[in-house]
Amino acid sequence: MPTMNSCHQFLSTMASETNPPPAKKAKTLAKSWKLFLTENFGSEGNLYGLQDLFAHGFDSTGYNSRTSATRATADTAVRCTTECQANKFYTLRLEHRKGGPMAQFRGEERILLFRSDRPGAIAKIIYSSELPEGNESSKPTSPLEQGITAAGDHGVESQVNHAYSIAHAKIHVIDVKSQFRGRDLGGLLFSEAITSLKSRYCNDDDDEVEEVGGNKSCGPVKSNGCKQVYDVECMLDAEEDITRHGKLVSFYEHLGCRVKPTKRVQYVNNNDSETYRKIPMQIDLHPPKANSPFKQERARLRRRRFSHLVSSKGSFLPVQLVGSFGKLSVRSHTRQEVMKLDWLVTETPEGIQFGTTNGHLLLATPSGSVSILSPGDEDNEDDSDLDIGTDVLNSWTHFVPCHVSDNDNTESDDRSQNESSRSLWVLRTCHGTFLTADSLRQTLSCTRLPSFWQANGANLSLVCTSDTPPRRHHYRKCWKFQTYDYVSSMRSRFLNFSLGRATLIEALGWIHAFPAHPFHAWSSDESITDFSPDSAPSLRTLCFLMAETAREKGLPDWVQLVALFHELGEAVKILDPSDTGEMAESIYDWTISSRSRIVGCKIPQQATFREFRHLNMDEEDSRYISDTGAYQANCGLENVSLMWAGCEFIYYLLRHNSTSLPEEAFAMIRFFLLGDWHEHREYSSLTNADDEDMLPFIQEFDALRRSVRLKCVECGNLTDEQCSFLWDNHYGDIAAKYNCDHVFNW
């Protein structure tokens, strides 16, 4: 018999081999994906907004509330308005106020944060500013006049140092109500105040000059009509109690402030008997550099364009973008710095924009990269790719939400509220690409194939999920068809084993016609070579790869055999083409391995895709709604009926054909998909001591299968020659050992 290494030579070279013709079903899925993309993401269609995304499960009491959210029934196929529905959906808005009878400081301004559904601010910042006295007449016309003077008759320009006069500002109050903390809304208010101060005192943009009697906010204007610019010293006190020692200082340092070492820390006692310390801090604001007229005008145009993109926030929500392992990261557009940020999603007529609390804007480029455009990028002299039209840059910052229905065209739209809250969305860019999350690096990018998101209104998050519409469609049908009566009828039909006769190695050849990942997003576009059905690994490849992995880990030979045979249930479509095969193509494919459950008893709360449980008729049958249902208490899992699936059929096939596999092997094949039991420990009223003995074997086998399936997504197909070599030199002998090498009755 060849050594382990000689057998693995075929696996190590399989990616370079010429792949066999693609699986028929992979081609079919590719065609359905092309139709799916055309129907769902064409130029025409509904435009969805924030309420469409987040209304389901929305918690109207605040982000930190732990109370249960009320839900509203909403038809997400139609554009919802921003009026409050039964679930009290709301958005946030900013309002900038100046002076007034409530003002306590000279030059006072307030930026307030409101909910759309009720009066009263949920957060506020109060600050004031003023010019130095007696310095206005000495101001030059512009930063260019301050930094550049003519030198002689040759027209050579030389730069001189000239310090700007200083305007003074102070932030008096930043306050966010407790139930709305944790989303950096304080940072948002601080950023808005700093942007306002810079616009007034530091930027010399022409469109900021205010005409007499006008309503625009502007800085001081000289007699010649040109705007003057200043440095700004902005002061604030970080007032901390004993529970927040150092936290506020760190918060303000993160926003660009610094502690003033020359100022003394003060300790004050308020009426609440607590002692507070006030740490003086400062942030300095400066006019942009002006090295040449061209660069000055370029920076001015960029500021104007960037201001156009972010100045009108309208209604927005603070949202987290989440991947498999938590908050997603994104790169800075110029510095290539990777950051995790808090996002503000704004609804616009063109779609939605993702901004951040500190003034960044999410940008999708034609190359597929996703980055954040920061306020500092407006003055970056080395980044020429931002010198594009305002309308073009604006389109790069917009994402169009597209809802993906859980129904196919054969079903009516009878969704439950919970079902709607878990439905899928894609976020399309103006380039025809889709926003996605790299599952390994946990960073944002764009791909030509759609990546799917689930919007959670309860915690205001967008989660990039591995789910696809075909997978949700399949599980929806599982819930609809897999009742106790359905399983009983399928057992009666198939457990007489009259479909035909074949060996297991023959069946392995048949399942080469089916993809290892039947719900994967394969593309029929020949230019997308990484996601074409030609590269789709087959089910046979998955089985051999899993057996070889078990072999490499030194697992018992019968475990290797179970790994090789566990997916053979799909071979029934070949043996029974006129019934099972046609039904699989048109209605429901029960042979595909799916997360299983016990039928005929109460459905666990942790059941996979439980949002579809309302479709199951057993939910309304009093015989099947108790913990034991149709079974005796602690009867053991051997005596219950599972969903009728391919692995369930193979379990009975191996038993019927007198194989000599150990009991642990049979338990692995039958129960590895019963995650409700071996992951969540459900069905305790039905299990017994024998089941507990088998539990470690089943858990290990399920973990092995999960890891191999992830590796198999991008692997190449094993050829017929490679599979024959592995069978003849290793697995055939194991099959003979456990009486699995003879002709089986199917």
Side-chain angles (χ1 to χ4, degrees):
M1 182 180 295
T3 64
M4 186 78 153
N5 289 335
S6 66
C7 290
H8 282 295
Q9 288 177 357
F10 284 92
L11 285 180
S12 63
T13 59
M14 64 184 179
S16 62
E17 295 283 344
T18 301
N19 290 332
K24 175 184 177 182
K25 188 157 186 175
K27 281 187 172 181
T28 303
L29 287 172
K31 292 178 181 178
S32 67
W33 268 108
K34 188 172 184 179
L35 180 62
F36 170 81
L37 296 178
T38 302
E39 291 179 346
N40 287 274
F41 313 130
S43 58
E44 301 296 332
N46 296 317
L47 183 63
Y48 296 99
L50 295 180
Q51 184 163 357
D52 303 298
L53 279 166
F54 296 106
H56 292 283
F58 193 82
D59 188 349
S60 62
T61 58
Y63 313 125
N64 291 336
S65 172
R66 295 295 181 264
T67 60
S68 61
T70 57
R71 301 179 184 270
T73 302
D75 184 4
T76 54
V78 181
R79 175 68 186 272
C80 297
T81 65
T82 56
E83 297 178 357
C84 301
Q85 305 294 323
N87 61 347
K88 303 295 184 183
F89 179 82
Y90 63 83
T91 55
L92 304 181
R93 63 178 176 86
L94 290 169
E95 186 174 314
H96 193 165
R97 298 178 181 176
K98 301 177 184 178
M102 300 291 293
Q104 300 179 11
F105 308 98
R106 181 179 177 183
E108 179 178 313
E109 299 180 50
R110 297 175 300 284
I111 299 178
L112 309 175
L113 185 62
F114 292 95
R115 286 173 48 157
S116 61
D117 64 330
R118 64 181 61 173
I122 64 171
K124 64 182 177 181
I125 183 170
I126 300 175
Y127 62 101
S128 60
S129 63
E130 59 182 353
L131 293 171
E133 297 182 359
N135 288 334
E136 296 187 16
S137 60
S138 64
K139 302 303 295 181
T141 303
S142 70
L144 186 61
E145 293 178 19
Q146 295 187 41
I148 300 175
T149 57
D153 296 333
H154 300 286
V156 179
E157 295 179 332
S158 64
Q159 185 170 329
V160 297
N161 294 323
H162 189 106
Y164 300 116
S165 293
I166 298 175
H168 300 282
K170 182 167 185 179
I171 295 176
H172 304 282
V173 174
I174 298 182
D175 180 56
V176 180
K177 290 187 176 181
S178 59
Q179 65 266 38
F180 295 95
R181 293 173 185 167
R183 294 300 180 103
D184 197 33
L185 296 180
L188 167 65
L189 294 173
F190 183 90
S191 176
E192 289 291 317
I194 294 302
T195 299
S196 176
L197 291 171
K198 288 183 68 174
S199 177
R200 174 168 301 182
Y201 295 109
C202 301
N203 297 336
D204 66 336
D205 302 339
D206 293 339
D207 58 351
E208 294 294 328
V209 176
E210 178 183 9
E211 297 179 0
V212 177
N215 295 321
K216 274 193 175 182
S217 170
C218 73
V221 181
K222 289 196 65 168
S223 59
N224 62 2
C226 294
K227 181 182 174 182
Q228 300 180 12
V229 292
Y230 296 82
D231 286 318
V232 179
E233 288 183 354
C234 183
M235 316 292 294
L236 69 152
D237 292 324
E239 187 172 303
E240 300 180 330
D241 59 22
I242 191 171
T243 63
R244 296 191 292 176
H245 185 80
K247 289 184 178 180
L248 279 182
V249 171
S250 298
F251 170 73
Y252 289 124
E253 286 178 339
H254 176 72
L255 295 173
C257 302
R258 55 184 172 83
V259 176
K260 295 197 67 176
T262 58
K263 295 289 185 178
R264 184 171 59 90
V265 176
Q266 299 181 354
Y267 293 87
V268 296
N269 292 314
N270 289 346
N271 295 331
D272 56 6
S273 72
E274 293 285 346
T275 299
Y276 296 81
R277 65 174 195 155
K278 297 172 66 174
I279 302 95
M281 303 188 73
Q282 177 176 327
I283 183 172
D284 299 321
L285 312 178
H286 305 287
K289 298 177 182 179
N291 297 325
S292 70
F294 168 75
K295 291 181 178 179
Q296 181 190 26
E297 181 62 21
R298 180 189 185 195
R300 182 183 292 116
L301 290 174
R302 284 191 176 183
R303 284 194 301 273
R304 188 178 304 165
R305 184 163 55 243
F306 192 82
S307 175
H308 171 75
L309 296 179
V310 301
S311 61
S312 179
K313 281 191 169 55
S315 60
F316 63 91
L317 281 175
V319 170
Q320 290 185 343
L321 297 180
V322 182
S324 304
F325 305 104
K327 290 174 64 175
L328 294 168
S329 303
V330 64
R331 291 186 178 275
S332 168
H333 188 70
T334 54
R335 294 184 295 275
Q336 295 301 306
E337 178 185 3
V338 178
M339 294 173 282
K340 292 184 178 181
L341 301 166
D342 293 287
W343 298 97
L344 304 174
V345 183
T346 306
E347 182 177 339
T348 73
E350 293 82 18
I352 59 175
Q353 282 182 313
F354 292 92
T356 69
T357 52
N358 51 3
H360 300 83
L361 205 58
L362 195 65
L363 194 75
T365 66
S367 66
S369 65
V370 173
S371 58
I372 48 171
L373 184 65
S374 71
D377 293 333
E378 62 196 20
D379 300 322
N380 191 316
E381 299 176 355
D382 301 322
D383 191 14
S384 60
D385 64 345
L386 294 181
D387 293 328
I388 56 178
T390 301
D391 292 340
V392 175
L393 188 61
N394 181 62
S395 66
W396 289 12
T397 66
H398 277 88
F399 300 83
V400 179
C402 303
H403 179 253
V404 184
S405 174
D406 283 332
N407 303 321
D408 58 22
N409 55 15
T410 65
E411 296 180 297
S412 60
D413 190 10
D414 53 348
R415 293 172 297 151
S416 68
Q417 297 176 24
N418 194 30
E419 182 179 344
S420 298
S421 68
R422 295 175 180 268
S423 60
L424 301 179
W425 296 81
V426 296
L427 301 172
R428 186 184 62 186
T429 72
C430 66
H431 316 296
T433 57
F434 300 89
L435 186 66
T436 188
D438 187 302
S439 58
L440 297 178
R441 298 181 180 87
Q442 290 293 286
T443 56
L444 290 167
S445 63
C446 284
T447 58
R448 295 174 64 181
L449 281 173
S451 192
F452 298 95
W453 300 77
Q454 286 179 318
N456 190 328
N459 60 12
L460 289 180
S461 64
L462 275 170
V463 182
C464 192
T465 176
S466 59
D467 271 347
T468 62
R471 184 169 184 257
R472 288 185 65 83
H473 292 168
H474 175 77
Y475 274 93
R476 195 175 197 273
K477 291 172 181 176
C478 283
W479 281 97
K480 183 175 181 179
F481 287 107
Q482 295 276 1
T483 63
Y484 185 80
D485 290 341
Y486 172 84
V487 172
S488 298
S489 66
M490 298 297 277
R491 287 163 65 99
S492 297
R493 182 188 167 201
F494 287 100
L495 295 189
N496 58 16
F497 301 102
S498 58
L499 295 177
R501 290 170 56 81
T503 62
L504 297 183
I505 186 60
E506 285 181 285
L508 279 169
W510 294 340
I511 66 172
H512 183 52
F514 306 113
H517 301 277
F519 310 129
H520 199 73
W522 306 114
S523 173
S524 59
D525 186 344
E526 294 180 356
S527 64
I528 311 179
T529 57
D530 293 338
F531 299 97
S532 68
D534 292 336
S535 63
S538 73
L539 200 56
R540 182 183 67 177
T541 294
L542 172 65
C543 289
F544 271 104
L545 182 60
M546 186 171 172
E548 285 292 277
T549 303
R551 180 183 178 189
E552 187 176 25
K553 289 178 176 291
L555 297 179
D557 54 5
W558 56 266
V559 176
Q560 301 170 33
L561 209 59
V562 169
L564 188 62
F565 294 153
H566 76 287
E567 291 281 11
L568 289 182
E570 291 207 43
V572 176
K573 289 179 287 193
I574 303 297
L575 285 163
D576 187 30
S578 62
D579 196 338
T580 303
E582 288 186 5
M583 184 178 181
E585 291 290 336
S586 59
I587 302 177
Y588 169 53
D589 189 351
W590 60 264
T591 66
I592 293 177
S593 294
S594 309
R595 303 310 282 180
S596 190
R597 58 183 170 83
I598 300 175
V599 296
C601 66
K602 183 179 179 180
I603 297 173
Q605 290 299 318
Q606 298 292 332
T608 305
F609 290 99
R610 57 193 175 276
E611 63 267 26
F612 299 130
R613 62 189 299 167
H614 66 285
L615 299 173
N616 194 280
M617 297 300 294
D618 287 352
E619 282 279 89
E620 302 174 0
D621 195 321
S622 59
R623 295 174 296 173
Y624 309 134
I625 60 175
S626 66
D627 290 340
T628 55
Y631 312 105
Q632 297 294 322
N634 303 115
C635 61
L637 297 183
E638 183 181 359
N639 299 304
V640 302
S641 293
L642 301 185
M643 278 174 40
W644 186 252
C647 292
E648 182 79 345
F649 175 78
I650 292 301
Y651 164 78
Y652 285 107
L653 177 78
L654 294 173
R655 284 231 185 253
H656 175 77
N657 285 277
S658 304
T659 62
S660 56
L661 290 165
E663 286 300 317
E664 292 84 355
F666 290 110
M668 283 180 176
I669 290 176
R670 192 179 187 210
F671 299 124
F672 79 91
L673 291 172
L674 191 60
D676 293 337
W677 169 53
H678 65 72
E679 291 180 38
H680 306 300
R681 304 315 308 273
E682 299 281 1
Y683 304 118
S684 59
S685 59
L686 297 175
T687 56
N688 58 23
D690 292 338
D691 299 323
E692 294 301 314
D693 292 340
M694 296 295 178
L695 185 62
F697 296 96
I698 296 164
Q699 291 173 328
E700 184 176 3
F701 184 78
D702 184 56
L704 172 68
R705 183 176 180 271
R706 287 173 180 267
S707 65
V708 174
R709 281 178 61 84
L710 288 176
K711 296 176 183 177
C712 192
V713 171
E714 298 180 356
C715 73
N717 263 315
L718 285 172
T719 64
D720 293 338
E721 292 77 13
Q722 290 171 327
C723 294
S724 296
F725 177 87
L726 292 172
W727 178 266
D728 294 339
N729 292 279
H730 183 67
Y731 296 106
D733 293 335
I734 302 176
K737 176 181 177 180
Y738 293 102
N739 199 28
C740 295
D741 61 338
H742 60 280
V743 179
F744 278 42
N745 291 316
W746 289 70

